[in-house]
Amino acid sequence: MKMLNPQKLQQECRLVGSTNRWRFPREPFLGDLLALSQMCKAVNVDFDEVLKNPDRLCISQIQKKFPENLKNKAIQSGEAAVILKCLGFRWELHQTRLFQSETLAKFYMTALARGNANPEKLLQAQLPGKIKEQRPVKKTIVSLKISDPLVTEAALAVALKSLYLREVKVSVDDVLGVLAVAHILQFRSLFQRCVTTMMNGLTPGTIKNFYLAGCKYKGEPLTTACEKWMEMNLVPLVGTQIHLRELPQELLHKVLRSPRLFTFREFHLLKTLLLWVYLQLNDKTQTIPMYATVLSFFSSFPKKCCFLDRDVGQNWMPLFLCLRLHGITKGKDLEELRHINFFPESWLVRVIADHYLALENGGDMAHVKDLTNQGVRFGLLFKQEYTTHSEVIAIYGFFFEIKGIKHDTTSCSFHMQRISHTDLEFSSSIYEHSPISLRAECSVTYEIRAQTLVDGKWQEFTTNQIKQKFGLVKSSCKSHALKIQTVGIPIYASFSFVFSLS
């Protein structure tokens, strides 16, 4: 005979029937046919059928025995048979409705068994023609203790109302509490409605609480939606508001590691991250400070070691390891980083050395091996009012224009094009103090990606990785175009590339 672990025995046993007998729910029977028979009577299912298919005793299977029309008839023709005591209130419920909640159903079944109630009355709503003839059933009291701080009386009321009405509106302001109640009650359809509401209500002000709720209550679609939303909006939206301070470090780290992260330039991402650290250390600041203020703050620390090597900076080191510092090529920007003494000197020395070697080798980025995780990245945020939108970028003496064009209300395209420095005379600031390459051709591995939100779902378009030689003549200066059809606005267009001239 198989020996059973006493601890496991205690965990897996449950009380059934009015005689306090025990059985194992995962097994059809263990010789205790009386307990099994009592359970079958309590839920009005055939004893022989359960022996063949034990899953018929699951709460979800019991719920199927209540057609919607029978539920309504039972409610209209009879008083509530269950009193739920919770949060200092008494809530009257009909037994046919509470089976939508696995938690309430289990509590109710236990209360029936302990109260020596007639279990065959449990499914009396199955006989609508006889409801009026039946005597009032003695009300069963079910007590539920909830200690979750998110659960309020209003949230519980909305959840219980949802037992009766399918289309109960859950506002963004109340959704956190209702989600918590739905999780505790194991009310799956309501839980999913809350998740959908939250996914459609992501803003800089809600992203923190919605993400933490997704983690706490195991709402994986919600946490995934928060991460995806942040990948697109960290730099252009959240990074411009005081809500940046509230971002959990765990979420920020995931977003920084994502190859889909949108940023206008690597330096924009760096400034956003520096601002996040500044706000963690200056919790009384109520408005977004000027960038010069942030630089002055970090410059004020003693110069004996860099900020990230200090005790206060050690915990944030993993965040900055996610940056592609080699994507910052402007001498002015690199000088600022050296001046504030934020990064270890070895990091900046390596970046400058890589830049020097790349220039010495005509632009060849020997230090970059993986386009997906190391490519130099730039971005365009294509808005509703644009018919065309472009930016000029300069790197290692080469100049490119990244451009988006709207063709009609639902179609647009994105491409990059090499241009000569002689075409930039109208804007000399673009290549001021920048080297100029006279190479006729440059070999580039690149990828253009566009992402936009439509009806709560992200659409993603990509050219995949392409290797191409760019010249200065019309036939070779333009990349493949990423053509897309979408009604989504704005469109987050990302350009990632690597030079390989050897």
Side-chain angles (χ1 to χ4, degrees), residues 300-328:
S300 66
F301 284 84
K303 303 299 181 183
K304 60 181 180 180
C305 70
C306 73
F307 180 84
L308 288 181
D309 280 339
R310 298 179 180 277
D311 291 340
V312 68
Q314 281 290 320
N315 290 334
W316 297 320
M317 181 78 78
L319 300 177
F320 289 89
L321 286 170
C322 297
L323 293 176
R324 307 176 187 182
L325 292 180
H326 57 270
I328 302 174

Side-chain angles (χ1 to χ4, degrees), residues 14 16 23-30 32-58 61-62 65:
R14 69 175 172 184
V16 296
R23 71 176 293 273
F24 295 92
R26 290 192 180 90
E27 300 182 30
F29 64 91
L30 290 177
D32 195 349
L33 295 176
L34 177 57
L36 182 62
S37 175
Q38 290 174 340
M39 186 63 134
C40 292
K41 287 182 179 180
V43 296
N44 198 26
V45 294
D46 184 81
F47 178 77
D48 292 329
E49 289 296 323
V50 170
L51 289 179
K52 299 175 183 177
N53 181 17
D55 288 339
R56 294 198 62 184
L57 290 180
C58 296
Q61 295 298 318
I62 298 172
K65 301 178 74 65

Side-chain angles (χ1 to χ4, degrees), residues 103-160:
T103 299
L104 292 180
K106 290 174 182 177
F107 273 59
Y108 179 49
M109 296 287 291
T110 302
L112 282 179
R114 289 176 178 170
N116 292 321
N118 185 350
E120 294 185 10
K121 292 183 179 179
L122 179 62
L123 299 185
Q124 61 178 328
Q126 278 191 288
L127 303 173
K130 298 183 179 180
I131 289 179
K132 293 183 180 180
E133 302 173 8
Q134 294 176 347
R135 297 178 180 178
V137 178
K138 182 180 179 181
K139 293 186 178 182
T140 303
I141 297 177
V142 175
S143 297
L144 178 63
K145 293 183 179 180
I146 299 179
S147 58
D148 193 317
L150 289 178
V151 177
T152 62
E153 294 89 343
L156 180 57
V158 171
L160 297 180

Side-chain angles (χ1 to χ4, degrees), residues 382-388 404-409 411-412:
F382 203 79
K383 301 180 180 179
Q384 175 68 45
E385 63 270 22
Y386 292 153
T387 53
T388 63
I405 303 172
K406 180 186 290 185
H407 301 291
D408 56 46
T409 56
S411 67
C412 55

